[in-house]
Amino acid sequence: MTDERIDVDFAEVLRRIPHRYPFLLIDRGENYVAFKSMVGIKNVTHNEPYFQGHFPENPVMPGVLIVEAMGQTGGVMMSKSLNADVSGKTIFFMSVDNCRFRRAVRPGDTLRMPVEVTRHRGDVFKFKGEAYVGDQLAAECEFAAMVVENTK
């Protein structure tokens, strides 16, 4: 393993996780270090489908979708670290703990989500994630995920 920091472009995000519009919640990754960390980037626009109902006069990104975006960041990092063949596998949340929301995320914001591995064994990873808008902490949580074979 190396501590070389690598950026992950949108095309690779699409290769690494199965999520698609309207549920793909990261645009790219920065500073990927295998089995250690990555920063997910989400450019939040007014065109996001959830803003129609959450809330039309006061649009706020739902907190659970911020957590999902952190999870997708972890999923891309897992897939890349394991060099997983995602055609027959999916990465699923196992747990979300100690979740806190600190600031509203609105259209025009860019979410920077540093996610770091706190433990991993085989196909199971535990993470600590944070989501920032500028230098302000918007959300934080700990979560775990695992690689699962798809069922037919």
Side-chain angles (χ1 to χ4, degrees), residues 12-34:
E12 186 170 2
V13 168
L14 292 176
R15 287 193 308 274
R16 295 284 176 194
I17 59 175
H19 303 78
R20 297 296 181 265
Y21 178 85
F23 213 67
L24 180 61
L25 297 173
I26 63 170
D27 297 321
R28 67 182 191 281
E30 297 178 345
N31 299 322
Y32 161 83
V33 178

Short mmCIF file of all heavy atoms in Angstrom, two decimals, residues 12-34:
data_model
loop_
_atom_site.label_atom_id
_atom_site.label_comp_id
_atom_site.label_asym_id
_atom_site.label_seq_id
_atom_site.Cartn_x
_atom_site.Cartn_y
_atom_site.Cartn_z
N GLU A 12 -15.02 7.41 -12.99
CA GLU A 12 -14.64 6.32 -12.09
C GLU A 12 -15.66 6.12 -10.98
O GLU A 12 -15.93 4.99 -10.59
CB GLU A 12 -13.24 6.54 -11.50
CG GLU A 12 -12.80 5.34 -10.69
CD GLU A 12 -11.35 5.35 -10.27
OE1 GLU A 12 -10.64 6.34 -10.56
OE2 GLU A 12 -10.93 4.36 -9.65
N VAL A 13 -16.25 7.20 -10.48
CA VAL A 13 -17.34 7.06 -9.50
C VAL A 13 -18.42 6.15 -10.07
O VAL A 13 -18.89 5.22 -9.42
CB VAL A 13 -17.92 8.43 -9.09
CG1 VAL A 13 -19.21 8.26 -8.31
CG2 VAL A 13 -16.90 9.23 -8.27
N LEU A 14 -18.80 6.40 -11.33
CA LEU A 14 -19.84 5.59 -11.97
C LEU A 14 -19.42 4.13 -12.13
O LEU A 14 -20.27 3.23 -12.09
CB LEU A 14 -20.21 6.17 -13.34
CG LEU A 14 -20.91 7.53 -13.32
CD1 LEU A 14 -21.13 8.04 -14.74
CD2 LEU A 14 -22.22 7.46 -12.56
N ARG A 15 -18.13 3.88 -12.32
CA ARG A 15 -17.65 2.49 -12.42
C ARG A 15 -17.60 1.81 -11.07
O ARG A 15 -17.69 0.59 -10.99
CB ARG A 15 -16.26 2.45 -13.05
CG ARG A 15 -16.22 2.74 -14.53
CD ARG A 15 -14.88 2.39 -15.17
NE ARG A 15 -13.71 2.96 -14.52
CZ ARG A 15 -13.21 4.17 -14.77
NH1 ARG A 15 -13.81 4.96 -15.67
NH2 ARG A 15 -12.14 4.60 -14.14
N ARG A 16 -17.42 2.57 -9.99
CA ARG A 16 -17.17 1.99 -8.68
C ARG A 16 -18.43 1.71 -7.85
O ARG A 16 -18.40 0.85 -6.97
CB ARG A 16 -16.26 2.92 -7.87
CG ARG A 16 -14.87 3.05 -8.44
CD ARG A 16 -14.08 1.83 -8.16
NE ARG A 16 -12.76 1.87 -8.77
CZ ARG A 16 -12.00 0.81 -8.87
NH1 ARG A 16 -12.41 -0.35 -8.42
NH2 ARG A 16 -10.83 0.89 -9.44
N ILE A 17 -19.51 2.47 -8.08
CA ILE A 17 -20.76 2.23 -7.34
C ILE A 17 -21.93 2.20 -8.32
O ILE A 17 -21.86 2.83 -9.37
CB ILE A 17 -20.99 3.26 -6.20
CG1 ILE A 17 -21.04 4.69 -6.73
CG2 ILE A 17 -19.92 3.11 -5.11
CD1 ILE A 17 -21.38 5.74 -5.67
N PRO A 18 -23.00 1.49 -7.96
CA PRO A 18 -24.12 1.35 -8.90
C PRO A 18 -25.13 2.50 -8.88
O PRO A 18 -26.04 2.53 -9.69
CB PRO A 18 -24.80 0.06 -8.43
CG PRO A 18 -24.55 0.04 -6.95
CD PRO A 18 -23.16 0.64 -6.79
N HIS A 19 -24.98 3.45 -7.99
CA HIS A 19 -25.96 4.53 -7.85
C HIS A 19 -26.02 5.38 -9.11
O HIS A 19 -25.00 5.64 -9.74
CB HIS A 19 -25.59 5.41 -6.66
CG HIS A 19 -25.48 4.66 -5.38
ND1 HIS A 19 -24.37 3.90 -5.07
CD2 HIS A 19 -26.32 4.55 -4.35
CE1 HIS A 19 -24.55 3.34 -3.89
NE2 HIS A 19 -25.72 3.72 -3.43
N ARG A 20 -27.23 5.82 -9.43
CA ARG A 20 -27.46 6.70 -10.58
C ARG A 20 -28.51 7.73 -10.20
O ARG A 20 -29.15 7.63 -9.15
CB ARG A 20 -27.95 5.89 -11.81
CG ARG A 20 -26.93 4.87 -12.33
CD ARG A 20 -25.67 5.56 -12.86
NE ARG A 20 -24.68 4.64 -13.39
CZ ARG A 20 -23.65 4.14 -12.72
NH1 ARG A 20 -23.47 4.44 -11.44
NH2 ARG A 20 -22.79 3.33 -13.30
N TYR A 21 -28.70 8.74 -11.06
CA TYR A 21 -29.71 9.75 -10.82
C TYR A 21 -31.05 9.07 -10.55
O TYR A 21 -31.38 8.11 -11.22
CB TYR A 21 -29.85 10.68 -12.05
CG TYR A 21 -30.91 11.73 -11.87
CD1 TYR A 21 -30.63 12.91 -11.22
CD2 TYR A 21 -32.22 11.49 -12.29
CE1 TYR A 21 -31.61 13.87 -11.01
CE2 TYR A 21 -33.21 12.44 -12.08
CZ TYR A 21 -32.89 13.62 -11.44
OH TYR A 21 -33.87 14.54 -11.23
N PRO A 22 -31.79 9.52 -9.56
CA PRO A 22 -31.55 10.70 -8.71
C PRO A 22 -30.83 10.38 -7.39
O PRO A 22 -30.83 11.21 -6.49
CB PRO A 22 -32.96 11.20 -8.43
CG PRO A 22 -33.77 9.93 -8.33
CD PRO A 22 -33.14 8.99 -9.36
N PHE A 23 -30.22 9.21 -7.29
CA PHE A 23 -29.65 8.82 -6.01
C PHE A 23 -28.12 8.82 -5.98
O PHE A 23 -27.53 8.48 -4.98
CB PHE A 23 -30.19 7.45 -5.59
CG PHE A 23 -30.34 7.33 -4.11
CD1 PHE A 23 -31.28 8.08 -3.42
CD2 PHE A 23 -29.53 6.48 -3.39
CE1 PHE A 23 -31.40 7.99 -2.04
CE2 PHE A 23 -29.64 6.38 -2.01
CZ PHE A 23 -30.58 7.13 -1.34
N LEU A 24 -27.47 9.22 -7.05
CA LEU A 24 -26.02 9.37 -7.03
C LEU A 24 -25.71 10.70 -6.35
O LEU A 24 -26.10 11.76 -6.84
CB LEU A 24 -25.45 9.35 -8.44
CG LEU A 24 -23.93 9.49 -8.55
CD1 LEU A 24 -23.21 8.35 -7.83
CD2 LEU A 24 -23.51 9.53 -10.01
N LEU A 25 -25.03 10.65 -5.21
CA LEU A 25 -24.87 11.83 -4.38
C LEU A 25 -23.43 12.29 -4.21
O LEU A 25 -23.13 13.09 -3.33
CB LEU A 25 -25.52 11.60 -3.01
CG LEU A 25 -27.03 11.37 -3.07
CD1 LEU A 25 -27.58 10.97 -1.71
CD2 LEU A 25 -27.75 12.61 -3.58
N ILE A 26 -22.52 11.77 -5.04
CA ILE A 26 -21.17 12.34 -5.08
C ILE A 26 -20.78 12.57 -6.54
O ILE A 26 -21.16 11.80 -7.42
CB ILE A 26 -20.11 11.49 -4.35
CG1 ILE A 26 -19.92 10.12 -4.98
CG2 ILE A 26 -20.43 11.36 -2.88
CD1 ILE A 26 -18.72 9.39 -4.43
N ASP A 27 -20.05 13.64 -6.76
CA ASP A 27 -19.62 14.00 -8.11
C ASP A 27 -18.20 13.53 -8.41
O ASP A 27 -17.87 13.21 -9.55
CB ASP A 27 -19.69 15.52 -8.30
CG ASP A 27 -21.11 16.04 -8.18
OD1 ASP A 27 -22.03 15.37 -8.67
OD2 ASP A 27 -21.29 17.12 -7.57
N ARG A 28 -17.36 13.49 -7.37
CA ARG A 28 -15.98 13.05 -7.56
C ARG A 28 -15.35 12.83 -6.19
O ARG A 28 -15.95 13.13 -5.16
CB ARG A 28 -15.18 14.08 -8.36
CG ARG A 28 -14.94 15.39 -7.67
CD ARG A 28 -14.17 16.38 -8.55
NE ARG A 28 -13.74 17.54 -7.79
CZ ARG A 28 -14.50 18.57 -7.46
NH1 ARG A 28 -15.77 18.59 -7.84
NH2 ARG A 28 -14.02 19.57 -6.77
N GLY A 29 -14.13 12.31 -6.22
CA GLY A 29 -13.38 12.12 -4.99
C GLY A 29 -12.02 12.78 -5.11
O GLY A 29 -11.46 12.90 -6.21
N GLU A 30 -11.51 13.22 -3.99
CA GLU A 30 -10.18 13.83 -3.94
C GLU A 30 -9.36 13.14 -2.86
O GLU A 30 -9.90 12.63 -1.87
CB GLU A 30 -10.27 15.33 -3.61
CG GLU A 30 -11.01 16.14 -4.65
CD GLU A 30 -11.14 17.61 -4.28
OE1 GLU A 30 -10.91 17.98 -3.10
OE2 GLU A 30 -11.48 18.38 -5.18
N ASN A 31 -8.06 13.16 -3.04
CA ASN A 31 -7.12 12.69 -2.02
C ASN A 31 -7.39 11.26 -1.56
O ASN A 31 -7.25 10.95 -0.38
CB ASN A 31 -7.12 13.64 -0.81
CG ASN A 31 -6.67 15.03 -1.18
OD1 ASN A 31 -5.77 15.20 -2.00
ND2 ASN A 31 -7.32 16.03 -0.62
N TYR A 32 -7.74 10.39 -2.49
CA TYR A 32 -7.94 8.97 -2.18
C TYR A 32 -6.60 8.36 -1.75
O TYR A 32 -5.58 8.53 -2.43
CB TYR A 32 -8.48 8.23 -3.41
CG TYR A 32 -8.30 6.73 -3.35
CD1 TYR A 32 -9.20 5.94 -2.66
CD2 TYR A 32 -7.21 6.12 -3.97
CE1 TYR A 32 -9.03 4.56 -2.59
CE2 TYR A 32 -7.03 4.75 -3.91
CZ TYR A 32 -7.94 3.97 -3.23
OH TYR A 32 -7.76 2.62 -3.16
N VAL A 33 -6.61 7.67 -0.62
CA VAL A 33 -5.47 6.88 -0.16
C VAL A 33 -6.03 5.50 0.15
O VAL A 33 -6.92 5.35 0.99
CB VAL A 33 -4.80 7.49 1.09
CG1 VAL A 33 -3.65 6.61 1.56
CG2 VAL A 33 -4.33 8.92 0.82
N ALA A 34 -5.53 4.47 -0.53
CA ALA A 34 -6.05 3.11 -0.40
C ALA A 34 -6.15 2.68 1.05
O ALA A 34 -5.22 2.86 1.83
CB ALA A 34 -5.16 2.14 -1.18
#
